[in-house]
Amino acid sequence: MFILCAEKNRLSLQQGEPLTSGSAGVYQVLFRFSPDWDGLSRTACFRSGGQSACVLLDESGTCTVPWELTALESEGRHLF
């Protein structure tokens, strides 16, 4: 599982893991938010290569990395 902390406008990685090509729908991301985010809707946007995708977070601040971005076709690609 990936864990990211959002404090004001800063996002920091607290825990990560390597991605395996073709493993779609298995990577969970938990976002922890500072009180500055209270009352706001929360959407995670991911980018890899020339593709991007946005996902609404559930009530617990969790989502799955979109499958389109984990179907990595070449080694060494980064997920943002």
Side-chain angles (χ1 to χ4, degrees), residues 9 16 19 27 35 38-39 55 69 71 75:
N9 65 350
L19 298 174
Y27 297 106
D38 289 351
V55 181
L69 302 179
E75 185 178 331

Side-chain angles (χ1 to χ4, degrees), residues 39-74:
L40 299 174
S41 57
R42 300 165 184 184
T43 302
C45 294
F46 299 90
R47 179 175 45 91
S48 180
Q51 295 184 312
S52 62
C54 295
V55 181
L56 287 173
L57 302 180
D58 66 15
E59 309 79 39
S60 68
T62 303
C63 71
T64 301
V65 176
W67 68 269
E68 302 93 335
L69 302 179
T70 56
L72 304 174
E73 298 167 357
S74 59

